[in-house]
């Protein structure tokens, strides 16, 4: 039986650690998750964790990146299903807010993430999100769908509002009721971007 290539073994080790850590962070939370527990669950040692991620925070960053990539994929699929570009923008933004109802996203991305890694607007993925939103708003402006507003400024404001709404939901006593209020208000806010018909 041939040995696996080193690159493949490294990828498998990283994937095992991320998967085990994701489970632990999602259920116990960052503070309570034990490095020994998730290295044991992955069938690996602490040495493997330190080698691949540096420390628990580095592994947490990898979990955040994985979840963020999955969220982005889901959001792109939501947008692609829309009947027009504006509806896709609205649907994608609302879907992001509604993801705050999912326990794993609540705990890892919206509670522990900011507590451990700081302001989400400063995370590595934030610039890609702002760029994507700016491109969408630029096209919508060129098409005459949104008013005469700076697309980047609007993207930053919409992004901030959606992130804050998601954090509000994640930390609410009644996330479902809070989500309904947040989505209704957010849609009204987005409608304010539309070009006036006249």
């Amino acid at each position: 039986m041939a040995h696996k290539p080193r690159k493949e073994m490294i990828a498998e080790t990283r994937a095992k650690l991320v998967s085990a850590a994701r489970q632990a962070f999602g259920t116990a939370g960052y503070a309570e998750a034990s490095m020994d527990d998730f290295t044991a669950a992955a069938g690996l040692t602490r040495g493997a964790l330190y080698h691949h991620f540096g420390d628990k925070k580095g592994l947490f960053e990898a979990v955040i990146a994985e979840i963020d990539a999955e969220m982005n994929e889901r959001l792109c699929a939501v947008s692609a299903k829309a009947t027009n570009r504006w509806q896709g923008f609205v649907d994608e933004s609302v879907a992001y807010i509604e993801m705050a109802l999912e326990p794993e996203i609540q705990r890892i991305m919206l509670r522990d993430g900011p507590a451990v890694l700081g302001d989400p607007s400063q995370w590595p993925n934030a610039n890609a999100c702002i760029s994507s939103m700016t491109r969408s708003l630029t096209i919508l402006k060129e098409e005459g769908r949104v008013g005469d507003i700076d697309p980047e400024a609007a993207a930053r404001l919409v992004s901030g509002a959606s992130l804050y709404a998601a954090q509000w939901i994640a930390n609410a006593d009644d996330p479902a009721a809070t989500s309904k209020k947040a989505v209704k208000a957010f849609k009204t806010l987005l409608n304010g971007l539309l070009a006036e018909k006249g």
Side-chain angles (χ1 to χ4, degrees), residues 3 24 36 38 49 62 64 72 82 88 91 105 118 162 174 185 187 194:
H3 289 290
D36 290 332
F38 47 75
L49 183 151
I64 291 269
N72 186 55
D91 292 350
I105 290 172
S162 62
D174 186 349
K187 284 181 177 179
L194 291 171

Side-chain angles (χ1 to χ4, degrees), residues 7 24 56 85 108 134 150 162 169:
K7 191 174 181 178
K56 183 179 175 181
R85 191 181 315 276
I108 295 174
T134 300
D150 181 83
S162 62
I169 293 162

Side-chain angles (χ1 to χ4, degrees), residues 49-112:
L49 183 151
Y50 291 126
H51 175 74
H52 291 282
F53 299 101
D55 58 12
K56 183 179 175 181
K57 184 177 176 183
L59 181 55
F60 187 65
E61 289 171 338
V63 169
I64 291 269
E66 180 177 272
I67 294 171
D68 184 65
E70 291 169 7
M71 289 172 69
N72 186 55
E73 191 174 300
R74 289 170 56 194
L75 293 170
C76 286
V78 166
S79 182
K81 289 179 189 173
T83 55
N84 61 61
R85 191 181 315 276
W86 172 252
Q87 194 58 52
F89 183 79
V90 172
D91 292 350
E92 182 177 340
S93 298
V94 168
Y96 172 82
I97 293 170
E98 290 175 338
M99 285 180 180
L101 293 170
E102 299 174 28
E104 181 183 61
I105 290 172
Q106 274 183 13
R107 181 178 291 268
I108 295 174
M109 300 298 286
L110 300 168
R111 288 191 203 138
D112 288 351

